Amino acid sequence: MNLPTLLEKTKQLFIRKFSTPCSGIASCPGRINILGEHTDYTGGLSIPAAINRWTLVAYGPAKRNKITFWSENFQDFYSPDLSNNNGPGKSWQKFLHATLKCLLLEFPLNKKKGVNLLIYGTVPLGKGLSSSASLELALLHALNSHFQLKLQDQEMVNLAKKIENDYLKVPSGFLDQYACQYSKTHKINKIDFENLTIESSEIEPLEGMVWVCIDSGIKRRLAASEYSTRVDQCFEFLKLVSSQFPSVKTFRDVESAHLDSIKDLTLKRRARHMLSENRRTQHGFHALIDGDWLELGRLLNKSHASLSQDYEVSCQELDFLQSTAVTHGACLGSRMMGGGFGGCTLNLVKAEIGTNFATDVTERYYKHCGIKADYYVLQMVEGARTHK
Ligand code: GLA
């Protein structure tokens, strides 16, 4: 469904649920990450893009002084009790509770003004396409507008990261929030997480190529604990290197030669991924601008090898999907995407045989792993905003 159709549908759903029109709708897309995986929390580089899957939050005044959510996807109401520090039991409600808690700490809401909110989304949940950042940012935009908080986009981006880090206890970087907020339809953003700057360049719509995500169907089971371990290992590595080379103050001061002095092979491999992935991202940015799809595909494949072998965040199913994809004539490159341990692969595919590619790979995946995989053919879109 495209955005105008989704907006219209959400508008109608709101009227049906709350018997009054909404005053506005906030939308926030999910994202893919083309290159630069597991680089954000070490101040590295990434080139993500927002995708044509959205979370929408329609909002309108409530008669009673109360916050009420209706989730169209979960077919359930939720009225948060913010005095309860443990939060709600259901996982979709946890995101809403955490967002409200985090926002309220810094920006008191007008207590006399209740709000009804209807949430409807098409971002696949828990597949590494940033469904959580998309929900948090859409909700922040909706509350910002309803309560006239006058928050800037960057303030909402900062809050959304804080929700993940401080409330949901995921030590993630800024990748998802920057991608979901700042992406543009005809531009590619290279984000530098050391100084939080964006280099933006016009690109032609992918001539003859499409991005296809194939969902391994594997729940990102180890994601939370292993993600934290990777973050810790990177900081342990930095501590070691800077104790030997005082000129090394940040990850970006690290050079390949510094790795020679590190005896711990695991830390060495983690650092090798960090360095090589930043280089690939730099090259990939130019390949995208030049429309050099062959080079971009090659970089995707290299990124997968590095994530699988050096960073060890892949799994058998993702490795199978990747190696199967690249044997298909339509695919120029493929890699696991997002935090890893399940979720999706990202594939750069010749458009005219894109669907044929996806059905072929998913059939072979079913035969080999016994899992029926979904796939999504994606387009690049604009980041989060509010529609009146
Ligand atoms: C998750 C995190 C991001 C980023 C990616 C890996 O999506 O939320 O901050 O670290 O994993 O690139």
Side-chain angles (χ1 to χ4, degrees):
M1 228 186 287
N2 62 27
L3 188 56
T5 315
L6 262 179
L7 286 167
E8 189 49 42
K9 180 165 178 186
T10 307
K11 215 185 246 176
Q12 298 308 328
L13 287 170
F14 190 95
I15 296 180
R16 221 176 299 153
K17 200 44 72 193
F18 295 108
S19 311
T20 148
C22 62
S23 37
I25 305 180
S27 71
C28 183
R31 60 115 187 86
I32 51 171
N33 187 19
I34 300 172
L35 281 166
E37 208 67 271
H38 282 279
T39 51
D40 56 350
Y41 48 82
T42 52
L45 306 170
S46 292
I47 41 174
I51 51 169
N52 55 333
R53 296 287 187 282
W54 294 267
T55 306
L56 289 97
V57 179
Y59 54 92
K63 286 208 186 80
R64 285 194 298 149
N65 161 23
K66 194 174 152 196
I67 299 177
T68 306
F69 291 99
W70 168 257
S71 163
E72 184 61 20
N73 298 70
F74 291 96
Q75 292 287 301
D76 205 358
F77 278 110
Y78 171 52
S79 286
D81 169 8
L82 295 172
S83 60
N84 173 2
N85 279 335
N86 295 330
K90 294 182 185 161
S91 83
W92 67 273
Q93 298 175 349
K94 286 201 168 90
F95 291 100
L96 309 178
H97 187 266
T99 305
L100 283 168
K101 278 279 217 201
C102 184
L103 180 69
L104 276 167
L105 207 63
E106 293 182 37
F107 304 95
L109 305 182
N110 179 347
K111 294 242 168 64
K112 297 209 181 74
K113 212 172 162 195
V115 60
N116 291 326
L117 300 129
L118 181 136
I119 304 174
Y120 179 46
T122 58
V123 184
L125 303 182
K127 307 290 186 192
L129 296 168
S130 269
S131 53
S132 53
S134 153
L135 171 60
E136 290 148 13
L137 276 168
L139 178 55
L140 287 169
H141 275 272
L143 296 170
N144 186 33
S145 184
H146 180 78
F147 289 100
Q148 295 169 347
L149 301 174
K150 299 198 168 59
L151 296 178
Q152 302 295 310
D153 289 347
Q154 186 61 40
E155 289 175 283
M156 290 187 270
V157 160
N158 294 344
L159 281 170
K161 178 168 180 280
K162 205 166 174 190
I163 296 164
E164 292 289 327
N165 296 166
D166 299 354
Y167 291 80
L168 303 169
K169 306 287 177 213
V170 186
S172 51
F174 262 120
L175 171 71
D176 304 345
Q177 297 77 17
Y178 266 66
C180 295
Q181 181 61 57
Y182 294 120
S183 290
K184 301 275 177 237
T185 310
H186 298 298
K187 284 192 174 163
I188 186 74
N189 288 342
K190 182 180 76 186
I191 306 166
D192 183 330
F193 294 104
E194 183 165 69
N195 42 28
L196 293 178
T197 51
I198 298 178
E199 186 181 338
S200 198
S201 179
E202 295 276 339
I203 53 165
E204 294 299 320
L206 294 185
E207 287 155 26
M209 306 298 300
V210 282
W211 292 115
V212 179
C213 277
I214 300 187
D215 172 16
S216 65
I218 299 293
K219 284 248 162 7
R220 299 168 51 222
R221 45 186 180 233
L222 287 169
S225 60
E226 288 292 327
Y227 187 96
S228 305
T229 308
R230 295 301 176 279
V231 176
D232 292 346
Q233 286 169 335
C234 288
F235 281 91
E236 199 184 328
F237 164 82
L238 181 65
K239 210 166 136 198
L240 267 179
V241 177
S242 41
S243 69
Q244 293 174 37
F245 303 94
S247 63
V248 175
K249 303 235 165 2
T250 72
F251 289 103
R252 294 290 283 283
D253 297 327
V254 177
E255 289 168 16
S256 300
H258 294 131
L259 266 58
D260 297 339
S261 65
I262 303 297
K263 303 224 164 37
D264 184 320
L265 292 181
T266 304
L267 294 188
K268 213 169 175 157
R269 286 205 304 274
R270 305 295 186 251
R272 196 161 59 192
H273 168 74
M274 178 189 84
L275 289 178
S276 65
E277 187 72 354
N278 281 339
R279 277 197 299 273
R280 282 186 289 274
T281 307
Q282 203 57 280
H283 291 160
F285 183 59
H286 294 291
L288 258 173
I289 297 167
D290 298 343
D292 187 348
W293 310 131
L294 281 178
E295 174 64 3
L296 190 61
R298 198 185 62 81
L299 292 165
L300 291 179
N301 294 337
K302 292 225 157 185
S303 171
H304 183 83
S306 177
L307 286 158
S308 179
Q309 288 149 32
D310 278 349
Y311 219 63
E312 295 178 286
V313 289
S314 187
C315 60
Q316 279 176 15
E317 292 85 354
L318 287 170
D319 287 345
F320 180 84
L321 278 177
Q322 196 274 344
S323 57
T324 307
V326 294
T327 60
H328 194 286
C331 180
L332 297 191
S334 173
R335 70 173 191 84
M336 57 141 282
M337 194 188 67
F341 304 102
C344 290
T345 57
L346 175 70
N347 305 273
L348 179 61
V349 179
K350 291 183 185 148
E352 80 268 22
I353 35 180
T355 309
N356 165 319
F357 158 81
T359 48
D360 190 50
V361 173
T362 50
E363 266 166 33
R364 283 158 72 187
Y365 183 62
Y366 182 63
K367 272 193 202 127
H368 190 265
C369 299
I371 300 170
K372 286 212 161 93
D374 280 336
Y375 65 86
Y376 321 104
V377 180
L378 300 168
Q379 282 153 17
M380 287 168 52
V381 301
E382 201 82 8
R385 64 213 141 107
T386 306
H387 313 256
K388 288 284 176 184

